[in-house]
Amino acid sequence: MKQCLFAKKTLLWALIFSMALIILPGCGETPPEFLFATPPSGISPTPSATPEATPEATPEPATPTPDSGPTFVDLNGKLRVEGSQLVNEAGQPIQLKGVSSSEVASFGYLVTYEMLKSMRDDWNLNVFRIAMYTEDATGYVRNPGVMETVTRIVDLCIDLGIYVIVDWHILYDNTPLKYKDHAVEFFSEISALYGDYPNIIYEICNEPNGRDTTWEGHIKPYADEVIPAIRKNDPDNIIIVGTPTWSQDVDIAADDPLPYDNVMYAFHFYAGSHGQALRDKFDYALSKGLPIFVSEWGSCLNTGDGPTFHEESMEWIKFMDERMISYVNWAFSVKLEGASILRQKVNANAPLRDIDLTEGGLFAKYAIKSTKETVLFADGFETKTFNHGKWKRTNNSTTYETEKPYKGDYAASIGKDGFLERPVTTVPYENLKLHLAYAIDGGKPGDVVKIDWFNGTEYVPVVDLPFADGWTELDVELPDSASGVREFSVRLTAAVAGEGTRVLIDEIWLAAEKR
Ligand code: IDC
């Protein structure tokens, strides 16, 4: 049976591969005959042109079927807290995973039905957090009109059957007491509108901070007014309360918890800045029975910028998954900073693809999706900035192709002896597979695209992709030795004879499995 399936699969792959070559867009020329026969070693044909890590991956069984059947909220109903665990209506432990908007008055436009649906269906996202700032110029205190954006997004989440956190995003206001009356007004209105829906979760103070802001002096007295105001309209949906020091001191809350039901406590971390010491604090609070909700985490620095810290983030994700802790990634934004999930050019009205995501965005997606498969970087060159994609390149000879991109508006274009190189750590990963589309424009047989990888000391050759004057899309498997390399990079070099010959690259991503 297994053999039979395998044979079928190989046949299917061969068929799809040849079909893909025939229908490839681009120059309209038939690809060289030999590519139909045996692809060069190290190359495996791609059965489909989707940006997924593994095209064969099937959705998890618990995931609701898109557009039909019960949604995630239909299946789980009203949430509550039992002991320190979030449980569904049937009393089963539940883990919510999702993303947070950035400052919603400015970035709420990105949160469309299409984007949320994409994340729900493809990422298995089941919660979205609306970060509504308070003191900012665009915040609720000075800009109460932001309420329209908040309700628009809550309505979308209800339509899509996912949970939604409405976050009173205090930050520079330090203590939640500063705008307590506004908060009471805001949460009274939100709970009156949505208290009957199981979808809604209230987060009443993002991150209390500042040396003078304390749990007993500020946060508890604040909660003692805001929680009863919510409970007037909504007797039982979950309420998340921020903890001191930017929602890190869950130990303090654990020693002196609030007396209300269905309350959870916020814990926030940024993997580039926070590690074991905070995990110890977390475990202390859990050991005291405190229900914790990670309503914000970043794979970058706590400034919201910096690189993606893969190893440290992976450590945190494992920690939270082992404990069935719910988590929400910061932030669904296009701002040019490390925390942003989205590349700068994204169509908010089309399904999200991996090439629309930053390195941190991909990390978040595959953490939320909880698959073994992941993608370490992806690029369709649509942002037209090699820097944003973290590419190193030969400055003069590597540019953009606009006439004949494989997909979208741009492809990368590498001139004779030029290269394009992408560093990314492979430490927590294995089974690396580079996906790309390439064409050699204006070249001739003998011209190749050299692929090699850097092991920290030297470049190791993988394969020479043969001359192809039409677009060819394929996967290149990297050897096991390329896994677990901190200073890994992968490089594509245009080994072509003609000065005018261009190697075109598009739709490139590095798929891997989490170790
Ligand atoms: C950051 C945003 C950044 C914005 C800044 C100030 O990423 O674009 O300029 O806020 O508004 C938090 C906060 C969250 C921060 C984030 C990263 O809750 O508002 O966002 N962070 O610094 N706590 C720890 C980190």
Side-chain angles (χ1 to χ4, degrees):
M1 182 64 190
K2 230 184 180 164
Q3 260 181 354
C4 171
L5 261 179
F6 180 73
K8 261 195 201 154
K9 208 164 139 190
T10 318
L11 238 170
L12 191 71
W13 274 39
L15 191 74
I16 295 171
F17 187 47
S18 39
M19 275 167 47
L21 286 171
I22 293 164
I23 57 164
L24 283 173
C27 314
E29 275 139 305
T30 322
E33 280 299 317
F34 65 86
L35 270 180
F36 287 95
T38 19
S41 69
I43 299 178
S44 59
T46 313
S48 83
T50 66
E52 292 300 328
T54 35
E56 310 97 303
T58 42
E60 309 239 301
T63 312
T65 340
D67 296 324
S68 66
T71 64
F72 189 79
V73 172
D74 291 337
L75 291 171
N76 290 286
K78 255 191 187 308
L79 305 180
R80 61 177 192 275
V81 175
E82 262 178 28
S84 61
Q85 182 62 49
L86 183 65
V87 302
N88 66 12
E89 198 161 317
Q92 295 158 326
I94 187 173
Q95 199 181 9
L96 301 187
K97 296 183 184 182
V99 301
S100 176
S101 75
S102 189
E103 186 267 294
V104 79
S106 309
F107 297 103
Y109 74 93
L110 293 166
V111 190
T112 60
Y113 181 85
E114 198 66 65
M115 294 283 98
L116 289 169
K117 185 174 183 306
S118 238
M119 290 193 283
R120 181 195 69 170
D121 297 343
D122 179 21
W123 303 28
N124 295 345
L125 168 140
N126 54 29
V127 64
F128 187 83
R129 178 184 189 240
I130 304 170
M132 190 195 68
Y133 282 53
T134 50
E135 190 174 69
D136 269 55
T138 52
Y140 179 84
V141 172
R142 274 179 267 179
N143 172 33
V146 67
M147 190 73 173
E148 268 173 50
T149 306
V150 173
T151 54
R152 179 183 66 78
I153 298 173
V154 174
D155 292 341
L156 289 178
C157 293
I158 291 173
D159 282 353
L160 287 159
I162 59 176
Y163 292 93
V164 57
I165 301 172
V166 178
D167 159 41
W168 183 256
H169 201 86
I170 68 161
L171 201 58
Y172 302 115
D173 20 356
N174 306 125
T175 165
L177 283 179
K178 187 163 178 187
Y179 297 112
K180 184 202 67 197
D181 294 345
H182 292 82
V184 167
E185 171 192 84
F186 173 75
F187 282 110
S188 297
E189 195 175 340
I190 288 288
S191 58
L193 285 170
Y194 298 110
D196 292 338
Y197 292 91
N199 307 68
I200 197 95
I201 298 173
Y202 311 90
E203 183 172 0
I204 64 173
C205 49
N206 168 48
E207 292 184 351
N209 64 84
R211 215 176 297 150
D212 301 331
T213 302
T214 63
W215 177 245
E216 64 286 355
H218 300 81
I219 306 168
K220 276 189 95 179
Y222 168 81
D224 279 334
E225 290 203 42
V226 177
I227 293 175
I230 294 172
R231 288 298 181 231
K232 265 189 214 161
N233 300 318
D234 180 343
D236 44 20
N237 276 317
I238 302 293
I239 298 175
I240 303 171
V241 183
T243 54
T245 319
W246 292 282
S247 286
Q248 290 166 19
D249 293 343
V250 278
D251 52 335
I252 295 177
D255 288 338
D256 181 19
L258 291 157
Y260 311 99
D261 286 340
N262 295 337
V263 164
M264 299 186 81
Y265 298 81
F267 178 89
H268 292 175
F269 72 86
Y270 283 77
S273 308
H274 309 126
Q276 195 53 47
L278 276 193
R279 285 192 287 275
D280 291 345
K281 211 179 245 207
F282 194 117
D283 269 341
Y284 168 81
L286 270 188
S287 76
K288 291 239 151 179
L290 196 79
I292 300 178
F293 198 115
V294 177
S295 51
E296 212 182 279
W297 71 275
S299 57
C300 56
L301 296 170
N302 63 351
T303 56
D305 209 358
T308 305
F309 290 81
H310 289 261
E311 290 171 68
E312 295 81 355
S313 300
M314 201 67 94
E315 187 93 18
W316 273 108
I317 295 297
K318 281 187 183 148
F319 176 89
M320 294 186 291
D321 284 343
E322 278 164 16
R323 290 159 181 74
M324 281 290 277
I325 298 295
S326 297
Y327 50 84
V328 171
N329 181 254
W330 184 262
F332 194 69
S333 170
V334 290
K335 192 168 168 176
L336 204 53
E337 62 177 8
S340 292
I341 287 170
L342 299 170
R343 304 289 296 264
Q344 294 227 284
K345 185 173 160 191
V346 66
N347 178 357
N349 297 307
L352 265 181
R353 299 188 59 210
D354 281 1
I355 58 163
D356 298 320
L357 307 181
T358 61
E359 193 173 321
L362 288 163
F363 188 95
K365 166 179 171 176
Y366 288 96
I368 293 165
K369 196 166 167 136
S370 302
T371 45
K372 192 160 172 55
E373 293 76 29
T374 185
V375 173
L376 306 190
F377 67 79
D379 212 330
F381 302 101
E382 295 305 297
T383 49
K384 221 186 162 200
T385 56
F386 286 110
N387 286 347
H388 191 194
K390 301 184 184 172
W391 292 99
K392 293 199 275 180
R393 61 179 170 133
T394 29
N395 290 328
N396 318 332
S397 59
T398 308
T399 57
Y400 294 93
E401 167 66 24
T402 51
E403 305 266 301
K404 304 170 196 164
Y406 180 51
K407 287 191 186 154
D409 295 330
Y410 304 105
S413 167
I414 315 172
K416 181 175 170 356
D417 299 327
F419 69 85
L420 200 53
E421 179 174 359
R422 179 57 157 84
V424 64
T425 181
T426 63
V427 171
Y429 306 111
E430 58 191 4
N431 295 328
L432 307 174
K433 211 196 268 179
L434 184 72
H435 175 100
L436 75 156
Y438 81 101
I440 302 180
D441 192 25
K444 53 179 193 300
D447 287 345
V448 298
V449 184
K450 278 189 182 303
I451 298 188
D452 55 14
W453 62 279
F454 188 65
N455 66 10
T457 315
E458 57 184 354
Y459 289 90
V460 185
V462 183
V463 69
D464 288 352
L465 300 180
F467 174 69
D469 58 0
W471 281 103
T472 301
E473 188 169 358
L474 47 75
D475 282 338
V476 178
E477 280 169 30
L478 302 188
D480 289 347
S481 46
S483 305
V485 178
R486 189 159 289 125
E487 286 170 69
F488 172 91
S489 68
V490 62
R491 184 173 69 167
L492 303 112
T493 307
V496 297
E499 294 295 336
T501 304
R502 310 292 303 177
V503 164
L504 309 182
I505 307 287
D506 207 347
E507 300 274 317
I508 184 166
W509 54 82
L510 183 61
E513 288 181 1
K514 299 170 194 166
R515 276 190 156 159

